[in-house]
Amino acid sequence: MRLFTVDAFTDTAFHGNPAAVCLLNEGASDTWMQSLATEMGLSETAFLLGNSLRWFTPAVEVSLCGHATLATAHVLYSTGAATGTLHFETKSGILTVNPSDDGLITMDFPAKEVTLATVPDGLEKALGAAVVSVSRSQLDLLVELESEESVRSLRPDIPALESVDARGVIVTAQAASSTAADYVSRFFAPRVGVAEDPVTGSAHCALAPYWSARLGRDSLLGAQLSARGGLVRTTLRGDRVDLAGHAVTVMEGTLLLNP
């Protein structure tokens, strides 16, 4: 089987978020896919069989993943295996993907509305920063800090964040006036085996409606301020959100194992 490593939400190798993409020749058991994802050690490994797409972290299967979907579409387009619109069957429903001539890939994802919540006990201590507000989406806790610099300089207590009752913790702020982006973020998900995810497409399913309501615009640019960094273009369309970005293949090989 063909196996790829792709840097997603970037046009520069060794930036963005790396994902493994496994093009299955036949069905595979959950145990086998989880073992390969653990072996790869990336935040997500995508498995594609026909139009069926699944994602595994090194620890668990997840129901929605943006960067590994982008990576999968990039592999199909760049190898000539597919052209035009793609329709992936996933645990979050049908995800539609479209390419553009400049290499930008746009994904149609479900928007995750957020509701205001109380600050969980110990959250500020775990983050090491003052919290402006806390909201919850279907998947994650969304925490707004006072400034871009607060997000950039954050050094959280990762083990302490495991106690947060959510898939992960999105930390965000409005971008500084000197930054080209509209908002910034970081994403921590130790409960699913990812201490800090470099660029998190699914988190922008919540960030897009949150910041579109705050800034009064449907189309925004989000910058994720991990060490690798990456950009996600978002366009809110009711209960859906377009997530767009570039991707770069950095490795291609043959997997010498059968499911």
Side-chain angles (χ1 to χ4, degrees), residues 20-62:
V21 178
C22 181
L23 302 182
L24 293 168
N25 295 329
E26 58 186 273
S29 70
D30 291 4
T31 299
W32 187 91
M33 289 188 284
Q34 185 62 74
S35 295
L36 180 59
T38 303
E39 178 86 1
M40 296 304 295
L42 300 174
S43 58
E44 252 88 19
T45 297
F47 295 89
L48 182 69
L49 180 63
N51 292 327
S52 176
L53 180 62
R54 296 173 69 180
W55 315 278
F56 288 76
T57 78
V60 298
E61 184 177 8
V62 295

Side-chain angles (χ1 to χ4, degrees), residues 39-109:
E39 178 86 1
M40 296 304 295
L42 300 174
S43 58
E44 252 88 19
T45 297
F47 295 89
L48 182 69
L49 180 63
N51 292 327
S52 176
L53 180 62
R54 296 173 69 180
W55 315 278
F56 288 76
T57 78
V60 298
E61 184 177 8
V62 295
S63 61
L64 186 65
C65 179
H67 84 281
T69 303
L70 177 62
T72 303
H74 170 78
V75 165
L76 296 178
Y77 291 140
S78 63
T79 60
T83 58
T85 301
L86 300 173
H87 301 282
F88 292 127
E89 300 171 1
T90 79
K91 290 192 172 183
S92 290
I94 301 296
L95 302 181
T96 303
V97 180
N98 284 286
S100 62
D101 293 339
D102 63 357
L104 192 71
I105 296 173
T106 301
M107 306 178 293
D108 174 9
F109 269 45

Side-chain angles (χ1 to χ4, degrees), residues 63-255:
S63 61
L64 186 65
C65 179
H67 84 281
T69 303
L70 177 62
T72 303
H74 170 78
V75 165
L76 296 178
Y77 291 140
S78 63
T79 60
T83 58
T85 301
L86 300 173
H87 301 282
F88 292 127
E89 300 171 1
T90 79
K91 290 192 172 183
S92 290
I94 301 296
L95 302 181
T96 303
V97 180
N98 284 286
S100 62
D101 293 339
D102 63 357
L104 192 71
I105 296 173
T106 301
M107 306 178 293
D108 174 9
F109 269 45
K112 302 294 184 183
E113 292 294 336
V114 298
T115 56
L116 197 63
T118 58
V119 180
D121 292 341
L123 179 65
E124 288 189 317
K125 181 178 180 181
L127 290 175
V131 170
V132 173
S133 67
V134 171
S135 302
R136 282 193 176 272
S137 73
Q138 181 186 17
L139 297 172
D140 304 310
L141 197 71
L142 192 153
V143 181
E144 184 179 348
L145 302 186
E146 61 184 5
S147 68
E148 175 181 321
E149 182 54 34
S150 298
V151 175
R152 187 185 302 276
S153 62
L154 204 63
R155 298 294 181 268
D157 181 345
I158 296 297
L161 290 180
E162 289 192 55
S163 64
V164 175
D165 183 20
R167 178 192 67 160
V169 178
I170 308 166
V171 181
T172 188
Q174 187 170 349
S177 59
S178 58
T179 301
D182 297 295
Y183 63 88
V184 299
S185 67
R186 290 172 69 185
F187 184 76
F188 306 97
R191 293 190 76 170
V192 295
V194 181
E196 180 173 3
D197 197 35
V199 192
T200 315
S202 60
H204 287 76
C205 293
L207 287 163
Y210 183 82
W211 285 110
S212 287
R214 293 283 301 278
L215 301 177
R217 287 183 285 119
D218 289 336
S219 295
L220 301 171
L221 179 61
Q224 198 151 329
L225 301 181
S226 63
R228 292 174 63 99
L231 297 173
V232 182
R233 293 163 176 82
T234 67
T235 302
L236 188 63
R237 298 182 292 101
D239 63 354
R240 308 293 295 181
V241 59
D242 288 339
L243 306 177
H246 292 88
V248 180
T249 300
V250 297
M251 185 169 64
E252 176 183 355
T254 302
L255 182 63

